[in-house]
Amino acid sequence: MASRQELSDFLASVQRRAFKQTVYAVRDEDAALDLVQDAMFKLSEKYPDKPPQELPMLFQRILQNATYDYFRRQKVRNTWVTLLSALRPDDEEGHDSDPLETLEADDERESGESVADKYEREQTLKIIEEEISKLPGRQREAFLMRYWEEMDVAETAAAMGCSEGSVKTHCSRANHSLATALKARGITL
Amino acid sequence: MNDFESTQRIQRIQRALNQGAEKLPYKVTHRLEQSRLAALARFDAKPNVSVKTLGASLALSGELPLWRQALNFAFPIAAVAIALYAINVSRDKADIDDTAAIDSAMLIDDLPIAAYTDYGYGVFLKNSRQ
């Protein structure tokens, strides 16, 4: 059974990578923060009796399920938005747009272009992250769990709910896709 | 692509990703810290809840396996059914005992003499013979 300190250390060690991993999947920082928080809550509430060595696998599984749920909710929401917007008369289009929203978005973009952010987002890292985001979901999950979270094949398979053979296949394909994509963009690693 | 190149590339990607994770904006790291502390607070609150490990409280919380939850609901129902059956059997037995006592009193025929002088009882005996 994991102690409070062990759980705290585990969450502290994994939270940044979990956030980035989720951003690669959902491409929305706020949504990613919410999903990581939900995963942390579920891990601490539902699995307090699990041994510390099982926490990485459990956390990854919870995070994945939360991400899938997010996509499902988005799909339902998008369906309703499409339906409702189809019902809305054409002459009302544009009336709902708030100039302040645009202004706010512009402000955010400007603040995102600060020197600190430019320094953070080095070109190579940006391209790597872009290419990782473009990977198919299962390949990206397998690749990041195996090579970033440093989970072994068995742990990754358990977290992904698939066979060890599938994990190896996903990792191999992700590796080849990344190599090709990065080479095409002039990144030689 | 050989294994060495592949390993080298993976290690460099890993380093780049680690650098990216280390340079997150403050608002993100702050939010992550807050989330972690909130999760730990929930972990601390958990033992108070898990003390309620008896009966239906755990069954309702969904922490028991399905067969245990079913058992927790089925057991009280079965207990009530058994109790009702036992009450029914005991009442039947009491009725039988009462009837047996009346029958045996009549068979022993220890009626008082005065009963035979009673007109109504005479009619009853007459009708009984018919």
Side-chain angles (χ1 to χ4, degrees), chain A residues 8 34 45 147-148 175, chain B residues 6 14 18 31 33 36 42:
Chain A
S8 175
D34 289 342
E45 282 177 340
Y147 302 123
W148 202 18
N175 197 8
Chain B
S6 177
Q14 193 183 38
N18 282 334
R31 170 77 193 278
E33 275 302 303
R36 185 174 65 86
R42 286 170 184 242

Side-chain angles (χ1 to χ4, degrees), chain A residues 114-183:
Chain A
S114 69
V115 177
D117 278 356
K118 278 181 186 172
Y119 178 71
E120 285 168 13
R121 295 168 192 262
E122 293 168 4
Q123 195 61 26
T124 306
L125 172 61
K126 191 179 170 189
I127 291 171
I128 289 172
E129 289 186 337
E130 279 172 11
E131 293 304 329
I132 285 175
S133 291
K134 286 180 192 169
L135 287 173
R138 298 291 277 175
Q139 287 184 25
R140 185 178 55 247
E141 286 163 11
F143 183 84
L144 292 176
M145 272 192 252
R146 280 284 290 121
Y147 302 123
W148 202 18
E149 294 298 326
E150 297 181 337
M151 292 164 68
D152 62 30
V153 176
E155 285 174 332
T156 308
M160 291 179 69
C162 64
S163 69
E164 294 185 14
S166 297
V167 170
K168 288 175 187 168
T169 306
H170 287 316
C171 285
S172 172
R173 286 181 183 164
N175 197 8
H176 278 83
S177 301
L178 275 177
T180 310
L182 293 175
K183 196 174 177 183

Side-chain angles (χ1 to χ4, degrees), chain A residues 7-20:
Chain A
L7 180 68
S8 175
D9 292 345
F10 167 72
L11 291 177
S13 71
V14 83
Q15 61 190 11
R16 287 163 180 258
R17 292 198 304 277
F19 166 72
K20 293 294 280 186

Side-chain angles (χ1 to χ4, degrees), chain B residues 53-61 64-78:
Chain B
T53 50
L54 295 173
S57 61
L58 253 184
L60 291 173
S61 72
L64 290 174
L66 197 60
W67 67 270
R68 276 293 304 273
Q69 292 183 31
L71 195 66
N72 280 350
F73 283 108
F75 183 74
I77 293 169

